[in-house]
Amino acid sequence: MKKTYRFAGIVVALSIVIAGCSNDRVDHSPMGHGEPQQEQIQEMTSEDGKRVFDLNVTETHWMFNDEIMDDAWTYNGSLPGQEIRVQEGDSVLVNVTNSLDEPTALHLHGFPVPNEMDGVPGVTQNAIMPGETFTYEYQADVSGTYWYHSHQDGARQVGKGLYGVFIVEPKDGESYDLDEVVVIDEWSSMGMEDMDHGNMDHGSMNHDDMNHGNMGEEEIDHGGMSSDNNEVSHAEMMNEMFDTMIINGKATPQIESIQVEEGTKMKLRFLNTGLFTQVVSIPGHSYKITNYDGQSVNEPEWLNDTAFRIAPAERYDVVIDLDNPGAWGIQVFAEENRENLQSLIPIIYNDYEDYDLQTSETISSFFDFTDYGEAIDVNLPEITKEFDMILGTNDGGETFTINDKLFPDHESYEVEEGDVVKFTIVNDTDVDHPMHLHGEFFNVISKDGIPISGSPILKDTLNVRPGETYGIVFEAKNPGIWMFHCHEFHHANAGMMAEVRYKGFEPDFSIDPNIPNKPE
């Protein structure tokens, strides 16, 4: 059973708890949220044994807590969208019906789908128009923690709530007494409708060369910032706008607690669906990070008094031995906006419901995946193609580029099936860029020229911090046209998008010039 916790004053009490172990009593009693009845996710099994899920994209009046409410966009009336959990080997059908008054699409993030199922408007399909239904079909053959979200006008649509969790359970995986998802996001009290995240018209897109017709620079609003505005940076504007931390769709004090029992083992699947790099600190317990972006870590080690960073679109699976009874608060805060975006996730042992939340007094170290776990040989074949990916900005952060190219006149990397491809990614800006490759997992082989010394690192999203250089390698075995972009959606909207194109690949759909496809 889950319960909520209450502080006497949201801001004041939260700051007291974050500062150290709280001396204020915390009420963990359930509270009514005043939400409308949510639609239950529709699932059935077809005659041929396929798992079938129906998702309705709709606007929902959502209460984050008793004081903050807004009109969110949701899947089946829930924020996050209701969890889809299947078994390895399942065939999965997801029917997405668009009940909004504008186009949308659904991208299954991190999972290696066929190209025509990737859900990128103008690249793999036309956007789903109002009143229409599109069916996505997958073979769930790779276990892990993934997520689904809109890839149509992503900064706006995902920002308004169009995201959910997709989990593929392994056939012979380890079992846990508790398996919980922690979805991290942020909201703006000024209202999402007040934010113009760009109005690029991609309706006349020619897919063969991703030519977006006669779209001029004057038609592009990169994050709503004027080119004449040199006083406020994008990062500063973000810090001012986003002022409410959201955990599993709720804000303090309505964030649900996790009720636990001493002597059991808990798995927490952390997912960052937002725009800020978050810091997570787990107090009073040892823990292991067992998966990056759903993919296993070899021989993970126990960590103590160590926080980890989780960038937009990344997932970290964590296992905790529940051996320290009490009322604990896992701290989550935006690294560059802690004043506005910080929260606690209560972990409450039985019989400690009325106790104060304890937190980590200080963060003594940060997790480093370059030497974590035990090294093994991944037997990568000889590299056949090498590319540079230089992340930059020509105007101090109003727009962002890859190799000095700005979407839609973007970088295109051509590969052939069977190639072993190496990218060297360099961040020449002063902000984080979580770079996401569609369609393929990649091996992280080096950081700043130094080879990875711990467990092999297999990911689909890699956060490249200012001044960092990473080497990544993947085998080209999933033909298609795949986006490779920053998953801070405002950066993608501001130009930081590229593509990996298989030589000779032709998509099996035609661009409809009457549909406003917006793949960024």
Side-chain angles (χ1 to χ4, degrees), residues 359-375:
T359 65
S360 301
E361 294 185 7
T362 60
I363 295 176
S364 58
S365 63
F366 281 93
F367 174 70
D368 181 0
F369 67 3
T370 64
D371 60 2
Y372 181 70
E374 186 175 314

mmCIF file with all atom_site columns, all heavy atoms in Angstrom, residues 359-375:
data_model
loop_
_atom_site.group_PDB
_atom_site.id
_atom_site.type_symbol
_atom_site.label_atom_id
_atom_site.label_alt_id
_atom_site.label_comp_id
_atom_site.label_asym_id
_atom_site.label_entity_id
_atom_site.label_seq_id
_atom_site.pdbx_PDB_ins_code
_atom_site.Cartn_x
_atom_site.Cartn_y
_atom_site.Cartn_z
_atom_site.occupancy
_atom_site.B_iso_or_equiv
_atom_site.pdbx_formal_charge
_atom_site.auth_seq_id
_atom_site.auth_comp_id
_atom_site.auth_asym_id
_atom_site.auth_atom_id
_atom_site.pdbx_PDB_model_num
ATOM 1   N N   . THR A 1 359 ? 17.380 12.154  5.555   1.00 0.00 ? 359 THR A N   1
ATOM 2   C CA  . THR A 1 359 ? 18.016 12.303  4.250   1.00 0.00 ? 359 THR A CA  1
ATOM 3   C C   . THR A 1 359 ? 19.521 12.292  4.429   1.00 0.00 ? 359 THR A C   1
ATOM 4   O O   . THR A 1 359 ? 20.039 12.318  5.544   1.00 0.00 ? 359 THR A O   1
ATOM 5   C CB  . THR A 1 359 ? 17.594 13.619  3.575   1.00 0.00 ? 359 THR A CB  1
ATOM 6   O OG1 . THR A 1 359 ? 18.088 14.708  4.351   1.00 0.00 ? 359 THR A OG1 1
ATOM 7   C CG2 . THR A 1 359 ? 16.087 13.720  3.450   1.00 0.00 ? 359 THR A CG2 1
ATOM 8   N N   . SER A 1 360 ? 20.238 12.256  3.300   1.00 0.00 ? 360 SER A N   1
ATOM 9   C CA  . SER A 1 360 ? 21.694 12.363  3.338   1.00 0.00 ? 360 SER A CA  1
ATOM 10  C C   . SER A 1 360 ? 22.081 13.778  3.730   1.00 0.00 ? 360 SER A C   1
ATOM 11  O O   . SER A 1 360 ? 21.587 14.750  3.153   1.00 0.00 ? 360 SER A O   1
ATOM 12  C CB  . SER A 1 360 ? 22.291 12.028  1.967   1.00 0.00 ? 360 SER A CB  1
ATOM 13  O OG  . SER A 1 360 ? 21.947 10.719  1.571   1.00 0.00 ? 360 SER A OG  1
ATOM 14  N N   . GLU A 1 361 ? 22.974 13.895  4.718   1.00 0.00 ? 361 GLU A N   1
ATOM 15  C CA  . GLU A 1 361 ? 23.382 15.233  5.153   1.00 0.00 ? 361 GLU A CA  1
ATOM 16  C C   . GLU A 1 361 ? 24.236 15.918  4.092   1.00 0.00 ? 361 GLU A C   1
ATOM 17  O O   . GLU A 1 361 ? 24.109 17.110  3.852   1.00 0.00 ? 361 GLU A O   1
ATOM 18  C CB  . GLU A 1 361 ? 24.149 15.127  6.474   1.00 0.00 ? 361 GLU A CB  1
ATOM 19  C CG  . GLU A 1 361 ? 23.289 14.648  7.642   1.00 0.00 ? 361 GLU A CG  1
ATOM 20  C CD  . GLU A 1 361 ? 24.032 14.675  8.951   1.00 0.00 ? 361 GLU A CD  1
ATOM 21  O OE1 . GLU A 1 361 ? 25.173 15.194  8.967   1.00 0.00 ? 361 GLU A OE1 1
ATOM 22  O OE2 . GLU A 1 361 ? 23.486 14.198  9.951   1.00 0.00 ? 361 GLU A OE2 1
ATOM 23  N N   . THR A 1 362 ? 25.109 15.159  3.457   1.00 0.00 ? 362 THR A N   1
ATOM 24  C CA  . THR A 1 362 ? 25.975 15.712  2.405   1.00 0.00 ? 362 THR A CA  1
ATOM 25  C C   . THR A 1 362 ? 26.128 14.683  1.302   1.00 0.00 ? 362 THR A C   1
ATOM 26  O O   . THR A 1 362 ? 25.851 13.499  1.494   1.00 0.00 ? 362 THR A O   1
ATOM 27  C CB  . THR A 1 362 ? 27.372 16.083  2.942   1.00 0.00 ? 362 THR A CB  1
ATOM 28  O OG1 . THR A 1 362 ? 27.992 14.896  3.471   1.00 0.00 ? 362 THR A OG1 1
ATOM 29  C CG2 . THR A 1 362 ? 27.282 17.140  4.024   1.00 0.00 ? 362 THR A CG2 1
ATOM 30  N N   . ILE A 1 363 ? 26.561 15.132  0.156   1.00 0.00 ? 363 ILE A N   1
ATOM 31  C CA  . ILE A 1 363 ? 26.918 14.237  -0.947  1.00 0.00 ? 363 ILE A CA  1
ATOM 32  C C   . ILE A 1 363 ? 28.434 14.216  -1.027  1.00 0.00 ? 363 ILE A C   1
ATOM 33  O O   . ILE A 1 363 ? 29.064 15.224  -1.369  1.00 0.00 ? 363 ILE A O   1
ATOM 34  C CB  . ILE A 1 363 ? 26.292 14.713  -2.264  1.00 0.00 ? 363 ILE A CB  1
ATOM 35  C CG1 . ILE A 1 363 ? 24.768 14.614  -2.186  1.00 0.00 ? 363 ILE A CG1 1
ATOM 36  C CG2 . ILE A 1 363 ? 26.820 13.890  -3.436  1.00 0.00 ? 363 ILE A CG2 1
ATOM 37  C CD1 . ILE A 1 363 ? 24.048 15.148  -3.402  1.00 0.00 ? 363 ILE A CD1 1
ATOM 38  N N   . SER A 1 364 ? 29.034 13.077  -0.685  1.00 0.00 ? 364 SER A N   1
ATOM 39  C CA  . SER A 1 364 ? 30.489 12.996  -0.610  1.00 0.00 ? 364 SER A CA  1
ATOM 40  C C   . SER A 1 364 ? 31.128 12.671  -1.951  1.00 0.00 ? 364 SER A C   1
ATOM 41  O O   . SER A 1 364 ? 32.289 13.008  -2.190  1.00 0.00 ? 364 SER A O   1
ATOM 42  C CB  . SER A 1 364 ? 30.913 11.945  0.431   1.00 0.00 ? 364 SER A CB  1
ATOM 43  O OG  . SER A 1 364 ? 30.370 10.669  0.105   1.00 0.00 ? 364 SER A OG  1
ATOM 44  N N   . SER A 1 365 ? 30.382 12.000  -2.854  1.00 0.00 ? 365 SER A N   1
ATOM 45  C CA  . SER A 1 365 ? 30.957 11.648  -4.155  1.00 0.00 ? 365 SER A CA  1
ATOM 46  C C   . SER A 1 365 ? 29.850 11.403  -5.156  1.00 0.00 ? 365 SER A C   1
ATOM 47  O O   . SER A 1 365 ? 28.687 11.175  -4.796  1.00 0.00 ? 365 SER A O   1
ATOM 48  C CB  . SER A 1 365 ? 31.836 10.397  -4.036  1.00 0.00 ? 365 SER A CB  1
ATOM 49  O OG  . SER A 1 365 ? 31.064 9.279   -3.628  1.00 0.00 ? 365 SER A OG  1
ATOM 50  N N   . PHE A 1 366 ? 30.233 11.438  -6.440  1.00 0.00 ? 366 PHE A N   1
ATOM 51  C CA  . PHE A 1 366 ? 29.298 11.161  -7.522  1.00 0.00 ? 366 PHE A CA  1
ATOM 52  C C   . PHE A 1 366 ? 29.711 9.882   -8.244  1.00 0.00 ? 366 PHE A C   1
ATOM 53  O O   . PHE A 1 366 ? 30.894 9.590   -8.405  1.00 0.00 ? 366 PHE A O   1
ATOM 54  C CB  . PHE A 1 366 ? 29.258 12.321  -8.522  1.00 0.00 ? 366 PHE A CB  1
ATOM 55  C CG  . PHE A 1 366 ? 28.417 13.485  -8.068  1.00 0.00 ? 366 PHE A CG  1
ATOM 56  C CD1 . PHE A 1 366 ? 28.984 14.542  -7.383  1.00 0.00 ? 366 PHE A CD1 1
ATOM 57  C CD2 . PHE A 1 366 ? 27.055 13.509  -8.314  1.00 0.00 ? 366 PHE A CD2 1
ATOM 58  C CE1 . PHE A 1 366 ? 28.214 15.611  -6.950  1.00 0.00 ? 366 PHE A CE1 1
ATOM 59  C CE2 . PHE A 1 366 ? 26.263 14.571  -7.891  1.00 0.00 ? 366 PHE A CE2 1
ATOM 60  C CZ  . PHE A 1 366 ? 26.844 15.622  -7.208  1.00 0.00 ? 366 PHE A CZ  1
ATOM 61  N N   . PHE A 1 367 ? 28.715 9.168   -8.699  1.00 0.00 ? 367 PHE A N   1
ATOM 62  C CA  . PHE A 1 367 ? 28.919 7.921   -9.422  1.00 0.00 ? 367 PHE A CA  1
ATOM 63  C C   . PHE A 1 367 ? 29.662 8.174   -10.733 1.00 0.00 ? 367 PHE A C   1
ATOM 64  O O   . PHE A 1 367 ? 29.380 9.129   -11.445 1.00 0.00 ? 367 PHE A O   1
ATOM 65  C CB  . PHE A 1 367 ? 27.557 7.279   -9.700  1.00 0.00 ? 367 PHE A CB  1
ATOM 66  C CG  . PHE A 1 367 ? 27.615 6.063   -10.562 1.00 0.00 ? 367 PHE A CG  1
ATOM 67  C CD1 . PHE A 1 367 ? 28.157 4.882   -10.085 1.00 0.00 ? 367 PHE A CD1 1
ATOM 68  C CD2 . PHE A 1 367 ? 27.120 6.092   -11.859 1.00 0.00 ? 367 PHE A CD2 1
ATOM 69  C CE1 . PHE A 1 367 ? 28.202 3.746   -10.880 1.00 0.00 ? 367 PHE A CE1 1
ATOM 70  C CE2 . PHE A 1 367 ? 27.153 4.969   -12.658 1.00 0.00 ? 367 PHE A CE2 1
ATOM 71  C CZ  . PHE A 1 367 ? 27.701 3.789   -12.172 1.00 0.00 ? 367 PHE A CZ  1
ATOM 72  N N   . ASP A 1 368 ? 30.597 7.276   -11.047 1.00 0.00 ? 368 ASP A N   1
ATOM 73  C CA  . ASP A 1 368 ? 31.380 7.359   -12.279 1.00 0.00 ? 368 ASP A CA  1
ATOM 74  C C   . ASP A 1 368 ? 31.296 6.004   -12.976 1.00 0.00 ? 368 ASP A C   1
ATOM 75  O O   . ASP A 1 368 ? 31.844 5.013   -12.493 1.00 0.00 ? 368 ASP A O   1
ATOM 76  C CB  . ASP A 1 368 ? 32.835 7.711   -11.965 1.00 0.00 ? 368 ASP A CB  1
ATOM 77  C CG  . ASP A 1 368 ? 33.699 7.829   -13.217 1.00 0.00 ? 368 ASP A CG  1
ATOM 78  O OD1 . ASP A 1 368 ? 33.180 7.629   -14.331 1.00 0.00 ? 368 ASP A OD1 1
ATOM 79  O OD2 . ASP A 1 368 ? 34.905 8.120   -13.065 1.00 0.00 ? 368 ASP A OD2 1
ATOM 80  N N   . PHE A 1 369 ? 30.604 5.964   -14.111 1.00 0.00 ? 369 PHE A N   1
ATOM 81  C CA  . PHE A 1 369 ? 30.423 4.657   -14.752 1.00 0.00 ? 369 PHE A CA  1
ATOM 82  C C   . PHE A 1 369 ? 31.653 4.174   -15.522 1.00 0.00 ? 369 PHE A C   1
ATOM 83  O O   . PHE A 1 369 ? 31.675 3.046   -16.013 1.00 0.00 ? 369 PHE A O   1
ATOM 84  C CB  . PHE A 1 369 ? 29.180 4.634   -15.634 1.00 0.00 ? 369 PHE A CB  1
ATOM 85  C CG  . PHE A 1 369 ? 29.193 5.501   -16.881 1.00 0.00 ? 369 PHE A CG  1
ATOM 86  C CD1 . PHE A 1 369 ? 30.284 6.250   -17.268 1.00 0.00 ? 369 PHE A CD1 1
ATOM 87  C CD2 . PHE A 1 369 ? 28.056 5.565   -17.683 1.00 0.00 ? 369 PHE A CD2 1
ATOM 88  C CE1 . PHE A 1 369 ? 30.277 7.023   -18.414 1.00 0.00 ? 369 PHE A CE1 1
ATOM 89  C CE2 . PHE A 1 369 ? 28.027 6.323   -18.844 1.00 0.00 ? 369 PHE A CE2 1
ATOM 90  C CZ  . PHE A 1 369 ? 29.142 7.056   -19.206 1.00 0.00 ? 369 PHE A CZ  1
ATOM 91  N N   . THR A 1 370 ? 32.681 4.990   -15.643 1.00 0.00 ? 370 THR A N   1
ATOM 92  C CA  . THR A 1 370 ? 33.841 4.582   -16.426 1.00 0.00 ? 370 THR A CA  1
ATOM 93  C C   . THR A 1 370 ? 34.664 3.492   -15.749 1.00 0.00 ? 370 THR A C   1
ATOM 94  O O   . THR A 1 370 ? 35.416 2.777   -16.421 1.00 0.00 ? 370 THR A O   1
ATOM 95  C CB  . THR A 1 370 ? 34.769 5.779   -16.728 1.00 0.00 ? 370 THR A CB  1
ATOM 96  O OG1 . THR A 1 370 ? 35.316 6.288   -15.498 1.00 0.00 ? 370 THR A OG1 1
ATOM 97  C CG2 . THR A 1 370 ? 34.009 6.880   -17.453 1.00 0.00 ? 370 THR A CG2 1
ATOM 98  N N   . ASP A 1 371 ? 34.542 3.343   -14.423 1.00 0.00 ? 371 ASP A N   1
ATOM 99  C CA  . ASP A 1 371 ? 35.307 2.302   -13.733 1.00 0.00 ? 371 ASP A CA  1
ATOM 100 C C   . ASP A 1 371 ? 34.424 1.494   -12.779 1.00 0.00 ? 371 ASP A C   1
ATOM 101 O O   . ASP A 1 371 ? 34.909 0.912   -11.814 1.00 0.00 ? 371 ASP A O   1
ATOM 102 C CB  . ASP A 1 371 ? 36.488 2.907   -12.965 1.00 0.00 ? 371 ASP A CB  1
ATOM 103 C CG  . ASP A 1 371 ? 36.063 3.923   -11.914 1.00 0.00 ? 371 ASP A CG  1
ATOM 104 O OD1 . ASP A 1 371 ? 34.850 4.141   -11.743 1.00 0.00 ? 371 ASP A OD1 1
ATOM 105 O OD2 . ASP A 1 371 ? 36.953 4.503   -11.261 1.00 0.00 ? 371 ASP A OD2 1
ATOM 106 N N   . TYR A 1 372 ? 33.137 1.437   -13.065 1.00 0.00 ? 372 TYR A N   1
ATOM 107 C CA  . TYR A 1 372 ? 32.194 0.733   -12.196 1.00 0.00 ? 372 TYR A CA  1
ATOM 108 C C   . TYR A 1 372 ? 31.923 -0.661  -12.743 1.00 0.00 ? 372 TYR A C   1
ATOM 109 O O   . TYR A 1 372 ? 31.743 -0.851  -13.948 1.00 0.00 ? 372 TYR A O   1
ATOM 110 C CB  . TYR A 1 372 ? 30.881 1.521   -12.116 1.00 0.00 ? 372 TYR A CB  1
ATOM 111 C CG  . TYR A 1 372 ? 29.829 0.901   -11.230 1.00 0.00 ? 372 TYR A CG  1
ATOM 112 C CD1 . TYR A 1 372 ? 29.975 0.870   -9.847  1.00 0.00 ? 372 TYR A CD1 1
ATOM 113 C CD2 . TYR A 1 372 ? 28.676 0.347   -11.787 1.00 0.00 ? 372 TYR A CD2 1
ATOM 114 C CE1 . TYR A 1 372 ? 28.998 0.315   -9.030  1.00 0.00 ? 372 TYR A CE1 1
ATOM 115 C CE2 . TYR A 1 372 ? 27.683 -0.196  -10.983 1.00 0.00 ? 372 TYR A CE2 1
ATOM 116 C CZ  . TYR A 1 372 ? 27.855 -0.220  -9.603  1.00 0.00 ? 372 TYR A CZ  1
ATOM 117 O OH  . TYR A 1 372 ? 26.886 -0.776  -8.804  1.00 0.00 ? 372 TYR A OH  1
ATOM 118 N N   . GLY A 1 373 ? 31.869 -1.644  -11.849 1.00 0.00 ? 373 GLY A N   1
ATOM 119 C CA  . GLY A 1 373 ? 31.632 -3.012  -12.265 1.00 0.00 ? 373 GLY A CA  1
ATOM 120 C C   . GLY A 1 373 ? 32.910 -3.664  -12.760 1.00 0.00 ? 373 GLY A C   1
ATOM 121 O O   . GLY A 1 373 ? 34.016 -3.118  -12.660 1.00 0.00 ? 373 GLY A O   1
ATOM 122 N N   . GLU A 1 374 ? 32.755 -4.853  -13.310 1.00 0.00 ? 374 GLU A N   1
ATOM 123 C CA  . GLU A 1 374 ? 33.914 -5.663  -13.716 1.00 0.00 ? 374 GLU A CA  1
ATOM 124 C C   . GLU A 1 374 ? 34.027 -5.699  -15.230 1.00 0.00 ? 374 GLU A C   1
ATOM 125 O O   . GLU A 1 374 ? 33.053 -5.949  -15.943 1.00 0.00 ? 374 GLU A O   1
ATOM 126 C CB  . GLU A 1 374 ? 33.767 -7.084  -13.166 1.00 0.00 ? 374 GLU A CB  1
ATOM 127 C CG  . GLU A 1 374 ? 34.968 -7.965  -13.397 1.00 0.00 ? 374 GLU A CG  1
ATOM 128 C CD  . GLU A 1 374 ? 34.821 -9.312  -12.717 1.00 0.00 ? 374 GLU A CD  1
ATOM 129 O OE1 . GLU A 1 374 ? 34.419 -9.336  -11.528 1.00 0.00 ? 374 GLU A OE1 1
ATOM 130 O OE2 . GLU A 1 374 ? 35.079 -10.334 -13.374 1.00 0.00 ? 374 GLU A OE2 1
ATOM 131 N N   . ALA A 1 375 ? 35.237 -5.468  -15.725 1.00 0.00 ? 375 ALA A N   1
ATOM 132 C CA  . ALA A 1 375 ? 35.476 -5.445  -17.166 1.00 0.00 ? 375 ALA A CA  1
ATOM 133 C C   . ALA A 1 375 ? 35.385 -6.849  -17.755 1.00 0.00 ? 375 ALA A C   1
ATOM 134 O O   . ALA A 1 375 ? 35.808 -7.831  -17.140 1.00 0.00 ? 375 ALA A O   1
ATOM 135 C CB  . ALA A 1 375 ? 36.843 -4.847  -17.461 1.00 0.00 ? 375 ALA A CB  1
#
